[in-house]
Amino acid sequence: MVIKIDDEKVKKIADYYGLKNQLKQLVEECSELSVEALHYTRERGGTERISEEIVDVLIMIQQIIYLLKNDTEKLEKYADFKLDRQLGRIEREQK
């Protein structure tokens, strides 16, 4: 379930705008995604707009990861920890 995003394009855009601008843009894109998700839950929107906003957020996240020079191995460890923690919560809720 990996979405392939062109790394070279991501880097070129990120380098041009820089971290501060792209963090602001990330906030905007996240807000747009949250609005579309809320519209969907209220039956005022569809999944197409959600999909479009997801891609915008993913692109921005890729840029921020690159600009912060984050180690993907470290991020993968965080992801595993958080996924395992949530699965533990689900197991406890099911008991």
Side-chain angles (χ1 to χ4, degrees):
M1 198 167 55
V2 174
I3 298 169
K4 188 166 173 66
I5 298 173
D6 188 315
D7 283 342
E8 292 308 310
K9 291 177 183 177
V10 166
K11 290 174 183 178
K12 188 172 185 174
I13 294 166
D15 286 336
Y16 180 80
Y17 290 107
L19 180 59
K20 193 171 187 179
N21 287 324
Q22 294 313 76
L23 283 170
K24 290 178 192 176
Q25 190 65 35
L26 174 60
V27 170
E28 182 178 326
E29 299 300 347
C30 288
S31 295
E32 291 173 3
L33 175 56
S34 67
V35 166
E36 291 305 323
L38 190 57
H39 284 175
Y40 180 80
T41 64
R42 293 181 176 168
E43 299 179 3
R44 295 188 333 206
T47 58
E48 190 65 30
R49 289 287 299 145
I50 293 173
S51 297
E52 185 179 336
E53 297 304 335
I54 286 171
V55 171
D56 289 343
V57 170
L58 287 173
I59 290 169
M60 295 312 303
I61 288 171
Q62 288 296 103
Q63 290 181 53
I64 301 306
I65 290 170
Y66 164 71
L67 289 167
L68 290 177
K69 303 188 180 358
N70 268 317
D71 177 0
T72 54
E73 189 174 309
K74 177 175 70 173
L75 294 175
E76 288 169 356
K77 285 180 184 177
Y78 286 148
D80 283 340
F81 169 77
K82 289 180 178 275
L83 290 168
D84 290 341
R85 182 178 64 187
Q86 191 60 36
L87 288 171
R89 289 174 180 156
I90 291 169
E91 282 182 26
R92 286 189 296 280
E93 287 176 13
Q94 291 176 337
K95 290 181 179 179

